Amino acid sequence: MDQEQAIKLLSERLDTYDDPQFVFVDCICWFADDFARFKKGIINEILRRIRHPPILPQKHIEQPILPLYYLVDAISKNCEPSYSAQFGERLPQVFEQSLHLNDKHLNDKLFNLVEHWKLDNIFSEYGIESLQECVRNYKKINAPPPPSI
């Protein structure tokens, strides 16, 4: 199987993913390990979906992005370390864009993920610092105005 076929297969599987189901996440992790030679394409596909969520064919809804972040977490923890390194380098840009969707529930979960990634050393120190900087910037920009006296 070549990279184009592997990414097409991954994309078809991801088209059914809208909830962080353990069996599904495990299957994608196995896929990522089996096709690690295409890791750049696999990472690109997942980050592309976070950046521009597609409409899921079977449900006719936009793909929720939080389960995709959980997938990034699982692959980074359970697959070869180079996945974690590459996700860590590329995630801050996508992460910042996700924060600016201004979805409080999503943002709370993303803030928690950053803390989890920091505690578990999932990404490099630089990657974690970049993600934390995104959180600080977002909170500063969206802080409520000080009360007027």
Side-chain angles (χ1 to χ4, degrees), residues 28-33 74-84:
I28 297 298
C29 285
W30 294 327
F31 181 93
D33 267 341
I75 291 171
S76 296
K77 285 195 273 188
N78 300 313
C79 295
E80 64 176 58
S82 57
Y83 273 106
S84 175

Side-chain angles (χ1 to χ4, degrees), residues 18-32:
D18 64 344
D19 184 38
Q21 307 146 353
F22 290 115
V23 172
F24 186 90
V25 170
D26 284 346
C27 286
I28 297 298
C29 285
W30 294 327
F31 181 93

Side-chain angles (χ1 to χ4, degrees), residues 28-80:
I28 297 298
C29 285
W30 294 327
F31 181 93
D33 267 341
D34 287 348
F35 292 98
R37 63 190 179 276
F38 306 134
K39 106 177 36 79
K40 184 176 180 182
I42 291 169
I43 290 169
N44 286 344
E45 179 62 18
I46 293 169
L47 295 179
R48 181 188 67 77
R49 285 172 173 268
I50 291 173
R51 234 184 262 111
H52 305 290
I55 301 298
L56 298 178
Q58 295 175 342
K59 295 197 175 183
H60 305 290
I61 61 169
E62 196 173 86
Q63 184 165 39
I65 62 173
L66 186 58
L68 293 168
Y69 276 102
Y70 291 144
L71 193 57
V72 168
D73 178 67
I75 291 171
S76 296
K77 285 195 273 188
N78 300 313
C79 295
E80 64 176 58

Side-chain angles (χ1 to χ4, degrees), residues 98-110 138:
S98 296
L99 291 177
H100 289 286
L101 294 173
N102 289 318
D103 178 329
K104 181 174 175 14
H105 173 74
L106 173 66
N107 288 355
D108 289 344
K109 297 290 186 180
L110 293 177
Y138 175 80

